[in-house]
Amino acid sequence: MLSLLKRKLSKTKELFGKIEQLFQSSYPRPELLEELFELLILADVGVPTAEKIINGLKEKSKNTGQSDLKSLLKQELLAIFAQQPVLVNESWPSVWMLVGVNGGGKTTSAAKLAYRYQKQGKKVMLAAADTFRAAAQEQLALWGKKLNLPVIQGQSGADPASVVFDALKSFRARNYDLLLIDTAGRLHTYANLMAELEKIKKVISREIPGAPQEILLVLDSTIGQNAIVQAREFKRFSGLTGVFLTKLDGTARGGSVLAVVDDLQLPVKFAGVGETEEDLVVFSPESFVEALLS
């Protein structure tokens, strides 16, 4: 996965490559750390997280040489991820919800996850609970056809919770392993959206105790700090277990991964690194940091 991330993170690595050059410069340490702070901001790490990294470096580099700064930076980055260990709940049977704003990549992310677990021999089912956008249901149906997977959907405008209820009945009756539920990203207000998501979650937990095992917040990494703003809205929805970052290969703002983990106190569990169903990685903080700094 390390070699894959090195290829896919080429845009973000351009900025982090400047950090490597900075460490090899003859700048005095205060000036070097100031420049480093600016580069972290450009990579969309965010001001609070960048300040935390720089303050950590200042403290730990008091008695070290300039050559140690890179390894100390690596430690600081990993320390942010260590706050939220990446543990994917892969107990079966399992029900997972994907939530997030429209356009963030929920439907494609559901397909990527479906493909991943289908390749592992799991019986996977998809549920189109975004009944407010016909295009979302059609897109999921197309993925189901391509991957040869069942897709449970309702009429346009139908109650999403009723579609999920039907999917749960089919899921149990057919003894499937994984049900992936694609939800709506926009209703009239965020309050209405959160209420709808809570209703779906309540139906799931009523029908299958202990479910949903994963509720993944899907964020488009190319929008940088705006992803954090979106994510804060979804923190109103209880039970989020982690983040699925999409389009990580297409952004110079890959530093937003750090901001997401630090600001939201949620682990990044999966990352989309391309447009096909195969372009998915289970997120590894160690591999991510190594790819950025090597």
Side-chain angles (χ1 to χ4, degrees):
M1 187 173 72
L2 177 58
S3 61
L4 173 65
L5 281 175
K6 283 182 178 180
R7 293 197 311 275
K8 296 292 187 175
L9 294 174
S10 58
K11 292 186 179 180
T12 299
K13 278 174 65 66
E14 288 177 16
L15 276 173
F16 275 80
K18 293 179 181 178
I19 292 176
E20 176 75 26
Q21 296 169 19
L22 187 61
F23 286 154
Q24 295 173 4
S25 72
S26 57
Y27 284 134
R29 185 164 308 182
E31 197 173 323
L32 186 151
L33 291 176
E34 190 175 321
E35 291 286 331
L36 175 59
F37 178 78
E38 291 182 11
L39 286 173
L40 291 173
I41 296 301
L42 286 173
D44 247 3
V45 170
V47 172
T49 306
E51 286 179 341
K52 180 184 290 188
I53 292 167
I54 296 300
N55 289 336
L57 281 175
K58 285 178 180 177
E59 183 64 30
K60 292 176 183 175
S61 67
K62 286 178 179 177
N63 301 310
T64 65
Q66 201 105 317
S67 60
D68 296 320
L69 281 174
K70 181 177 177 180
S71 63
L72 290 174
L73 175 61
K74 187 178 293 188
Q75 290 176 28
E76 289 302 308
L77 299 186
L78 288 173
I80 288 171
F81 288 114
Q83 301 172 105
Q84 302 293 328
V86 181
L87 298 171
V88 180
N89 190 330
E90 293 185 333
S91 58
W92 315 111
S94 201
V95 179
W96 295 8
M97 289 177 65
L98 279 73
V99 304
V101 300
N102 290 342
K106 288 191 303 296
T107 305
T108 302
S109 298
K112 290 176 190 287
L113 289 169
Y115 178 77
R116 169 182 167 78
Y117 289 104
Q118 181 189 47
K119 293 291 283 185
Q120 292 182 10
K122 304 301 179 188
K123 294 172 67 179
V124 183
M125 181 180 291
L126 298 163
D130 184 355
T131 60
F132 303 99
R133 287 192 312 129
Q137 295 193 75
E138 290 168 7
Q139 186 185 6
L140 198 65
L142 286 172
W143 275 116
K145 186 174 181 180
K146 180 178 181 180
L147 301 176
N148 194 27
L149 296 173
V151 179
I152 308 301
Q153 58 188 103
Q155 296 295 318
S156 180
D159 178 11
S162 69
V163 175
V164 171
F165 178 74
D166 290 342
L168 291 166
K169 285 200 301 183
S170 180
F171 176 69
R172 289 188 300 181
R174 297 161 70 175
N175 292 315
Y176 267 59
D177 299 303
L178 177 61
L179 174 62
L180 293 164
I181 301 172
D182 182 22
T183 65
R186 183 177 299 154
L187 292 179
H188 180 59
T189 66
Y190 268 114
N192 287 347
L193 175 57
M194 297 309 147
E196 189 62 59
L197 294 175
E198 292 287 358
K199 182 179 176 183
I200 291 172
K201 181 185 165 194
K202 186 175 180 180
V203 167
I204 295 169
S205 58
R206 184 187 69 210
E207 296 301 314
I208 302 179
Q213 286 82 357
E214 292 279 6
I215 303 176
L216 299 172
L217 175 59
V218 179
L219 292 177
D220 179 346
S221 60
T222 64
I223 63 173
Q225 287 298 301
N226 287 333
I228 307 296
V229 175
Q230 289 180 3
R232 287 182 189 139
E233 294 290 340
F234 278 86
K235 285 285 278 186
R236 300 181 194 177
F237 175 47
S238 61
L240 293 176
T241 60
V243 174
F244 188 129
L245 270 179
T246 66
K247 308 173 190 176
L248 194 57
D249 58 309
T251 181
R253 299 173 169 184
S256 61
V257 177
L258 291 151
V260 165
V261 173
D262 194 37
D263 186 284
L264 302 178
Q265 294 296 292
L266 286 170
V268 174
K269 294 196 174 185
F270 297 96
V273 290
E275 297 181 359
T276 77
E277 64 270 23
E278 298 182 28
D279 294 319
L280 167 73
V281 294
V282 176
F283 191 78
S284 162
E286 293 79 10
S287 295
F288 179 74
V289 171
E290 189 66 33
L292 290 181
L293 298 179
S294 60

